[in-house]
Amino acid sequence: MKIVCAETVLLAQEAFSLAGKTVVIPDREITRDDLFDADALIVRSKTKINADLISGTPVKFVGTATAGTDHIDSDALGKRGIYWCAAPGCNANSVSEYLVAALLVLRRRHGYDLEGKTIGVIGCGNVGSRVVKKCHALGMNVLRNDPPLAAVSADPDFLPLEHVLAESDIVTLHIPLVKTGPWPTERLADYLFFEQLKPGAIFINAARGSVCDYDALLAAKAGGAVAQTVIDVWNPEPAFRPDVLKLADLASPHIAGHSYEGKLNGTIACYNELCNFFELRKSWDIAASLPQPDVPHIEIDCNGRSDEEVLYEIIGQIYDIETDDRLIRDASVQNEVDRARNFDALRKSYRTRREFKNTELTLNNAATALRHKAKALGFIVREA
Ligand SMILES: NC(=O)c1ccc[n+]([C@@H]2O[C@H](COP(=O)([O-])OP(=O)(O)OC[C@H]3O[C@@H](n4cnc5c(N)ncnc54)[C@H](O)[C@@H]3O)[C@@H](O)[C@H]2O)c1
Ligand SMILES: O=C(O)[C@H](O)[C@H](O)COP(=O)(O)O
């Protein structure tokens, strides 16, 4: 069996060479010619899977090691009887940790408390539901909007979008890019969306660039309707817009889901599906692929400090989101081709970022509430 893998699939050789001959190719350079004798194709989001790429090839299985699937033309695969799978939820915890890190940095820069603020979560699936939990843990009021989920659940707490926008101090998007059907999300954040926002709100997009009309966001920022923004996803990518970068308080090159675990979970999901599909024995020793965390333990004196200040300091040591912000600003050169190349290069060379669960905390002089918060955010907390 031959498996073609995109270069950014984490541990592609370690996993897939156990199943067959594995050829690794840069994500944007995979062509139909590369697939002339391939049985399976494993990608992430940069490889567009469409009729041009797969027609006339013997590919029977396509896996994407990502949560988002908008780069896959499922009709084109379906018509050719090609099985495909994604990795739902693989990086949901990573994105929720990105969001917590971003909120704690904004809070510090602008001098407010997160506790008591209202956050509107648009899209409450794998990512959004984790964001809801972490924001509750931080003492925030959480308003949820998810019409597709509301339609099938008995939960009365899902609210209409306009209600959430009018009441929230912070609005964060965790929706897929959907172009058709009853609940399309393309340009969901348009001029009307920003008009409906509570004036001076904070806007966060770590979903997909195309769910936001960035011209509308620029206008909302200029008019004061939006006070602060966090932007991880761009339209277009990889040639991100420097004017949008300038307006962002925190920016990053589409890496919210790029914790080590987030990427590894994506590979694991594809590996398992591939083995099931081709009826192969699973022999990958995944535990052996996990590196030791850089920061296994943090001891901190909490005496006389607010919970949010302590959490800011802890999280800054594990995931310094301001480094991502600095790197994308350095990458924002005038020439569009170079800017796009820089964006891809930042993502490809992304540092190993481990999730909070790998760090044990010793919280000296901490109140019980802070211990609970730290646990709910995912840390291991050493007993007092
Ligand atoms: N920035 C990153 O690195 C990163 C990482 C992971 C996922 N993502 C993006 O975030 C999206 C969400 O990820 P997920 O894992 O939570 O997906 P998911 O499918 O688990 O959840 C998406 C939720 O959005 C809801 N939804 C759909 N249309 C909606 C609408 N019009 N209004 C409100 N809610 C709507 C769905 O009902 C679902 O509950 C992905 O599709 C992907 O595009 C980005
Ligand atoms: O949809 C997803 O899972 C994320 O957006 C993911 O982080 C995309 O990452 P990429 O495949 O571009 O590395």
Side-chain angles (χ1 to χ4, degrees):
M1 163 147 74
K2 179 171 165 186
I3 303 158
V4 171
C5 272
E7 190 180 27
T8 62
V9 173
L10 185 68
L11 301 180
Q13 285 291 3
E14 284 81 347
F16 295 104
S17 59
L18 297 166
K21 182 182 172 205
T22 299
V23 176
V24 173
I25 301 176
D27 302 46
R28 294 191 198 279
E29 292 172 24
I30 299 176
T31 65
R32 195 151 64 117
D33 289 348
D34 297 314
L35 304 177
F36 80 97
D37 59 348
D39 302 285
L41 171 63
I42 312 293
V43 298
R44 291 186 59 92
S45 73
K46 292 203 299 266
T47 311
K48 305 287 168 236
I49 305 293
N50 51 31
D52 286 350
L53 184 70
I54 41 110
S55 62
T57 72
V59 168
K60 294 172 252 334
F61 176 98
V62 173
T64 179
T66 59
T69 56
D70 46 288
H71 55 297
I72 302 220
D73 180 345
S74 54
D75 287 345
L77 293 178
K79 268 185 206 148
R80 288 162 183 80
I82 299 174
Y83 178 86
W84 74 277
C85 72
C90 62
N91 45 20
N93 191 51
S94 176
V95 180
S96 69
E97 292 189 357
Y98 170 95
L99 195 99
V100 169
L103 291 176
L104 288 167
V105 168
L106 290 186
R107 167 215 162 260
R108 185 138 213 273
R109 284 191 191 168
H110 298 281
Y112 46 72
D113 289 335
L114 295 174
E115 187 164 349
K117 279 213 181 296
T118 299
I119 185 164
V121 180
I122 316 298
C124 301
N126 284 299
V127 174
S129 59
R130 284 166 176 82
V131 168
V132 168
K133 277 193 193 137
K134 289 189 168 63
C135 290
H136 273 146
L138 289 169
M140 303 175 79
N141 307 314
V142 182
L143 304 181
R144 296 181 301 150
N145 169 261
D146 192 319
L149 267 189
V152 293
S153 96
D155 187 338
D157 285 345
F158 288 114
L159 297 169
L161 182 61
E162 54 276 17
H163 180 135
V164 173
L165 298 182
E167 299 289 325
S168 300
D169 303 301
I170 303 163
V171 171
T172 184
L173 304 183
H174 300 294
I175 44 183
L177 173 59
V178 180
K179 296 187 179 177
T180 55
W183 300 290
T185 60
E186 191 172 27
R187 290 173 191 261
L188 181 111
D190 59 3
Y191 284 92
L192 177 63
F193 176 103
F194 290 113
E195 273 167 30
Q196 292 174 329
L197 269 186
K198 184 171 173 179
I202 297 166
F203 173 76
I204 303 175
N205 187 8
R208 279 292 179 270
S210 315
V211 303
C212 179
D213 178 341
Y214 280 118
D215 288 326
L217 176 60
L218 284 169
K221 185 90 198 279
V226 167
Q228 292 141 36
T229 63
V230 179
I231 308 290
D232 180 54
V233 287
W234 306 81
N235 188 17
E237 285 183 19
F240 58 101
R241 285 174 58 169
D243 54 349
V244 177
L245 176 67
K246 236 182 232 160
L247 78 79
D249 279 68
L250 278 176
S252 46
H254 194 155
I255 49 65
H258 275 197
S259 69
Y260 191 84
E261 285 83 356
K263 287 190 276 193
L264 181 61
N265 289 338
T267 305
I268 293 171
C270 291
Y271 173 76
N272 285 338
E273 285 269 353
L274 178 127
C275 290
N276 292 341
F277 182 82
F278 289 105
E279 299 183 356
L280 303 170
R281 195 176 64 84
K282 295 175 190 138
S283 54
W284 183 20
D285 180 5
I286 294 159
S289 299
L290 274 175
Q292 289 302 312
D294 284 346
V295 190
H297 180 239
I298 294 176
E299 179 164 2
I300 190 162
D301 186 7
C302 309
N303 199 10
R305 306 171 68 196
S306 76
D307 292 358
E308 291 179 12
E309 195 55 27
V310 170
L311 291 170
Y312 165 81
E313 191 180 317
I314 291 168
I315 290 172
Q317 290 181 50
I318 300 165
Y319 172 38
D320 179 12
I321 194 171
E322 289 178 288
T323 296
D324 289 331
D325 179 71
R326 183 175 48 75
L327 291 173
I328 191 171
R329 286 178 206 281
D330 290 348
S332 182
V333 295
Q334 209 171 7
N335 181 285
E336 195 179 315
V337 174
D338 291 340
R339 203 163 61 244
R341 193 179 301 124
N342 288 350
F343 188 90
D344 274 350
L346 280 180
R347 307 186 77 227
K348 193 174 152 193
S349 64
Y350 196 60
R351 61 194 181 281
T352 300
R353 175 179 128 209
R354 301 303 300 278
E355 295 186 0
F356 300 168
K357 66 181 175 200
N358 298 292
T359 301
E360 186 180 38
L361 304 178
T362 302
L363 300 172
N364 296 325
N365 303 307
T368 313
L370 174 55
R371 294 178 174 281
H372 285 317
K373 279 182 198 174
K375 273 188 202 159
L377 292 180
F379 291 102
I380 308 161
V381 179
R382 197 173 277 179
E383 289 312 317

